[in-house]
């Protein structure tokens, strides 16, 4: 097997980029960020799912598995295209803090401003008409049109006339609400135009974009509304089982995600058509695809609908290798974290995709801990933490005295094994050491969340799983965080460890 190139990258979602207008976008600051990555000699920019957010503002609970987040459309680009004037949006309040996304302000202000831009757009131009005719985002646009009619509530609360999808209903919606329907199609058209230009700019500068695909779909989604047969629902379209994780050392109640469970037998019978299309679309957008909760393809944890926690669930068989047997040449990263057993290990061997290691979990006094850098083989992506973890600096601050002693001892030993200089017991020095261990490790790819590179505390946490809070998904960086000094420090690590 050909040896893979060693690479380093950074995890930062688009929403977290600097911006004057409430949320990171695909505009000027995204290009500056690519320039900064190049200066830091980083080769991968990892983002979270770029789908529209819905309940709880989570990109893992979207109204569509393949639609694109219109919040990321850039006002200044729309102005350059003649669709908005600066006076239209310069005083629109879309956020109160530069380092935090306020989704309620975005929801109330950004859609209105985008609609204004759409009204100035020539919807009869040939390129757009071809895009509409192609129908790739028709389902999403119809769903969002009906959602708007119902003040954006969940589809199961709509008037009975609209709850059951039919071709006739779809045609009636397009006919009766054509302008509204076209607006939602246009959001996808505009996003793709901005995304494709940014993606090309990144690639031209030697940077690949790693996207992220959630395993599950939200109940309030176009897929569940249109294709209830793909999910385990009763005759009233209420889920019979929902997704989550069993209780573990971190939580007595487990994690209750609440997503409907797939009808894997149905999907197998039609040759996994929906999955094949979903993965194909992802590779049009990204160079590398991380698939979340990969263990769920081997066996998934299912909880009876209506339970208040995840204590009483059961493990059920997923599609296993059958779904991936024709996808072995794809550039996929498998998020193989959580409850790992022989079935998951077998599936990982069969697919050959790189798995993930999290150094935050490594220093517990056990020499056989698989997250210890000295225990890695090449075919992994190593992270200090993911979007679901407490930032490393705060994690260290929160350790109890006896845990901290083990942490110091373990970390120092790992540094010795990998010829990394141990910098002492000051928390920010420990963070620096852990990052260098990730770079020094055998793992082919090393990706660090920006919060850890900036040594930020718990207020910068991106998400606390199984909670709904305005703190989740709202983290943003400031322009000054992307300093020349940090770029040069990373560039020296890239050079030192041949990444």
């Amino acid at each position: 097997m050909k040896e893979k190139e060693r690479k380093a990258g950074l995890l930062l979602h688009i929403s977290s980029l600097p911006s004057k207008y409430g949320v990171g976008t695909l505009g000027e600051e995204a290009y500056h960020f690519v320039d900064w990555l190049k200066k830091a000699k980083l080769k991968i920019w990892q983002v979270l799912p770029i789908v529209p957010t819905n309940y709880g503002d989570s990109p893992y609970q979207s109204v569509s598995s393949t639609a694109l987040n219109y919040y990321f459309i850039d006002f200044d680009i729309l102005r350059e295209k003649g669709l908005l004037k600066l006076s239209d949006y310069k005083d629109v309040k879309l956020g109160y803090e530069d380092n935090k996304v306020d989704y309620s302000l975005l929801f109330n202000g950004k859609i209105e401003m985008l609609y204004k831009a759409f009204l100035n757009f020539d919807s009869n131009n040939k390129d757009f008409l071809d895009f509409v005719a192609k129908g790739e985002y028709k389902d999403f646009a119809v769903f969002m049109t009906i959602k708007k009619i119902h003040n954006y509530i969940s589809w199961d609360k709509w008037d009975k006339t609209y709850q059951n999808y039919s071709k006739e209903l779809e045609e009636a919606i397009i006919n009766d609400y054509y302008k509204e329907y076209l607006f939602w199609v246009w959001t996808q058209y505009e996003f793709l135009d901005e995304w494709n230009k940014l993606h090309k700019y990144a690639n031209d500068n030697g940077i690949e974009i790693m996207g992220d695909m959630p395993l599950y779909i939200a109940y309030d989604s176009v897929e569940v509304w249109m294709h209830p047969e793909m999910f385990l629902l009763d005759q009233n379209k209420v889920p019979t089982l929902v997704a989550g994780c069993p209780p573990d050392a971190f939580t007595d109640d487990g994690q209750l995600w609440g997503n409907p469970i797939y009808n894997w037998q149905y999907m197998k019978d039609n040759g996994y058509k929906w999955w094949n299309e979903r993965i194909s679309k992802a590779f049009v957008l990204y160079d590398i695809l991380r698939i979340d909760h990969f263990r769920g393809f081997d066996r998934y944890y299912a909880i009876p609908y209506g339970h208040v926690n995840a204590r009483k669930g059961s493990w059920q068989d997923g599609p296993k290798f059958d779904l991936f047997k024709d996808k072995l040449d794809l550039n996929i990263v498998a998020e193989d974290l959580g409850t790992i057993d022989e079935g998951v290990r077998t599936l990982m061997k069969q697919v050959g995709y790189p798995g993930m290691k999290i150094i935050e979990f490594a220093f517990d006094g056990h020499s056989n801990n698989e997250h210890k850098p000295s225990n890695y083989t090449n075919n992994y992506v190593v992270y200090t933490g993911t979007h679901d973890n407490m930032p490393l600096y705060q994690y260290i601050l929160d350790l109890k005295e006896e845990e901290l002693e083990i942490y110091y001892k373990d970390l120092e030993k790992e540094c010795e094994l990998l010829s990394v200089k141990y910098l002492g017991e000051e928390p920010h020095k420990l963070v620096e050491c852990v990052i260098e261990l990730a770079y020094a490790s055998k793992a082919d790819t090393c990706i660090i969340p920006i919060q850890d590179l900036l040594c930020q505390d718990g207020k910068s946490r991106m998400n606390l799983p199984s909670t709904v809070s305005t703190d989740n998904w709202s983290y943003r960086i400031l322009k000054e965080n992307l300093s020349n000094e940090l770029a040069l420090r990373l560039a020296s690590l890239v050079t030192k460890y041949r990444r």
Side-chain angles (χ1 to χ4, degrees):
M1 232 171 112
K2 188 182 159 197
E3 193 178 333
K4 277 192 187 172
E5 186 186 346
R6 282 168 62 79
K7 291 178 182 175
L10 184 153
L11 170 57
L12 177 76
H13 194 35
I14 295 152
S15 62
S16 299
L17 285 165
S19 159
K20 299 189 287 281
Y21 305 110
V23 67
T25 70
L26 304 172
E28 184 181 24
E29 293 299 340
Y31 287 81
H32 289 331
F33 180 63
V34 169
D35 294 340
W36 186 87
L37 289 173
K38 187 179 182 183
K39 191 186 291 180
K41 296 189 176 177
L42 299 177
K43 299 288 195 316
I44 298 170
W45 175 9
Q46 183 181 335
V47 298
L48 301 182
I50 58 175
V51 290
T53 54
N54 191 25
Y55 175 71
D57 312 313
S58 168
Y60 295 87
Q61 294 279 358
S62 179
V63 293
S64 167
S65 64
T66 55
L68 305 157
N69 193 340
Y70 37 85
Y71 287 160
F72 299 158
I73 293 172
D74 186 72
F75 286 159
D76 292 335
I77 291 175
L78 294 177
R79 177 167 53 87
E80 286 161 16
K81 291 179 175 180
L83 303 179
L84 287 177
K85 299 190 188 103
L86 185 59
S87 57
D88 288 329
Y89 61 87
K90 73 179 174 71
D91 296 323
V92 174
K93 196 74 185 161
L94 293 175
Y96 290 109
E97 299 173 68
D98 289 342
N99 63 348
K100 193 173 168 71
V101 180
D102 187 319
Y103 285 95
S104 61
L105 284 177
L106 270 186
F107 177 76
N108 291 314
K110 186 132 191 180
I111 295 173
E112 187 184 333
M113 198 54 56
L114 291 175
Y115 199 80
K116 185 180 270 198
F118 167 67
L119 292 177
N120 294 324
F121 172 74
D122 175 14
S123 54
N124 289 313
N125 88 62
K126 185 180 181 310
D127 193 48
F128 181 64
L129 289 175
D130 288 347
F131 185 82
V132 175
K134 196 175 167 194
E136 197 176 343
Y137 295 96
K138 178 169 75 171
D139 298 348
F140 164 74
V142 168
F143 186 73
M144 290 304 291
T145 301
I146 307 176
K147 237 184 183 313
K148 180 150 191 242
I149 295 166
H150 290 86
N151 203 23
Y152 296 101
I153 60 172
S154 180
W155 68 263
D156 56 313
K157 306 285 194 302
W158 294 349
D159 294 343
K160 292 285 182 204
T161 323
Y162 299 94
Q163 281 184 21
N164 294 306
Y165 168 81
S166 70
K167 200 74 187 158
E168 295 72 35
L169 174 62
E170 181 182 273
E171 286 166 5
I173 291 295
I174 294 172
N175 188 57
D176 297 347
Y177 299 91
Y178 189 59
K179 201 80 178 171
E180 190 67 38
Y181 163 75
L182 271 194
F183 164 69
W184 291 109
V185 178
W186 172 80
T187 63
Q188 306 302 287
Y189 175 81
E190 178 59 33
F191 182 106
L192 280 170
D193 184 57
E194 295 185 18
W195 174 266
N196 291 339
K197 286 170 182 166
L198 176 63
H199 188 186
K200 183 179 185 304
Y201 185 77
N203 286 173
D204 288 348
N205 282 280
I207 292 153
E208 295 175 296
I209 295 181
M210 185 195 293
D212 193 319
M213 178 180 285
L215 170 58
Y216 290 116
I217 300 297
Y219 179 66
D220 183 22
S221 66
V222 62
E223 286 84 2
V224 178
W225 175 65
M226 277 188 77
H227 303 289
E229 68 280 1
M230 295 199 317
F231 304 89
L232 298 180
L233 311 175
D234 66 18
Q235 70 264 30
N236 298 315
K237 294 201 209 167
V238 174
T240 54
L241 295 168
V242 293
C245 272
D248 58 18
F250 302 101
T251 164
D252 293 339
D253 287 335
Q255 293 179 27
L256 179 64
W257 302 333
N259 309 72
I261 298 288
Y262 295 114
N263 183 342
W264 283 115
Q265 188 57 52
Y266 171 85
M267 290 184 158
K268 180 176 183 170
D269 291 346
N270 75 356
Y272 303 107
K273 181 173 181 287
W274 180 78
W275 275 100
N276 294 338
E277 286 173 1
R278 189 183 180 200
I279 290 170
S280 293
K281 280 183 179 179
F283 277 103
V284 173
L285 296 167
Y286 311 121
D287 305 296
I288 309 164
L289 179 65
R290 172 194 180 272
I291 300 183
D292 192 53
H293 199 58
F294 197 79
R295 75 100 52 243
F297 293 106
D298 175 56
R299 290 191 308 146
Y300 56 86
Y301 191 69
I303 303 143
Y305 180 75
H307 283 218
V308 294
N309 58 47
R311 286 183 184 181
K312 291 187 177 171
S314 60
W315 288 100
Q316 314 273 346
D317 279 341
K320 303 183 187 288
F321 183 58
D322 196 38
L323 174 56
F324 296 99
K325 63 190 178 193
D326 57 352
K327 301 174 182 67
L328 303 185
D329 58 340
L330 296 179
N331 202 354
I332 287 171
V333 172
E335 189 266 285
D336 59 340
L337 306 173
T339 310
I340 303 307
D341 53 27
E342 273 316 302
V344 183
R345 291 189 184 96
T346 299
L347 177 59
M348 289 299 290
K349 279 180 194 150
Q350 288 172 315
V351 294
Y353 304 147
M356 287 172 52
K357 296 297 178 198
I358 309 296
I359 302 196
E360 192 168 284
F361 302 154
F363 309 113
D364 59 358
H366 297 104
S367 60
N368 62 347
N369 182 323
E370 63 182 49
H371 294 285
K372 275 189 163 56
S374 57
N375 291 332
Y376 302 167
T377 52
N378 295 46
N379 197 29
Y380 284 104
V381 182
V382 57
Y383 294 79
T384 45
T386 73
H387 61 274
D388 282 337
N389 291 122
M390 180 64 81
L392 184 58
Y393 179 72
Q394 187 68 52
Y395 176 84
I396 290 168
L397 291 181
D398 290 344
L399 289 172
K400 298 184 182 114
E401 198 174 329
E402 61 274 19
E403 293 170 329
L404 206 48
E405 287 306 316
I406 292 167
Y407 201 90
Y408 297 151
K409 195 173 168 186
D410 243 10
L411 178 53
E412 188 168 8
K413 189 175 178 188
E414 283 297 297
C415 285
E416 195 181 315
L417 288 169
L418 273 73
S419 303
V420 169
K421 186 181 177 187
Y422 181 65
L423 301 173
E425 296 174 0
E426 232 247 286
H428 78 271
K429 291 291 183 189
L430 293 170
V431 172
E432 216 175 300
C433 268
V434 174
I435 289 169
E436 184 157 354
L437 278 174
Y439 272 80
S441 75
K442 280 185 183 174
D444 287 326
T445 305
C446 155
I447 293 180
I448 313 292
I450 190 77
Q451 292 96 321
D452 291 348
L453 291 174
L454 297 173
C455 212
Q456 292 179 321
D457 66 17
K459 292 197 284 290
S460 72
R461 184 172 188 158
M462 190 59 159
N463 179 50
L464 181 61
S466 286
T467 65
V468 177
S469 156
T470 54
D471 290 331
N472 288 344
W473 314 111
S474 63
Y475 168 76
R476 289 176 64 201
I477 61 168
L478 304 173
K479 198 167 181 174
E480 55 264 32
N481 290 144
L482 300 173
S483 67
N484 196 48
E485 181 192 4
L486 179 58
L488 295 176
R489 180 159 71 85
L490 293 173
S492 71
L493 287 174
V494 169
T495 302
K496 183 176 180 180
Y497 295 107
R498 305 179 317 285
R499 291 193 179 275

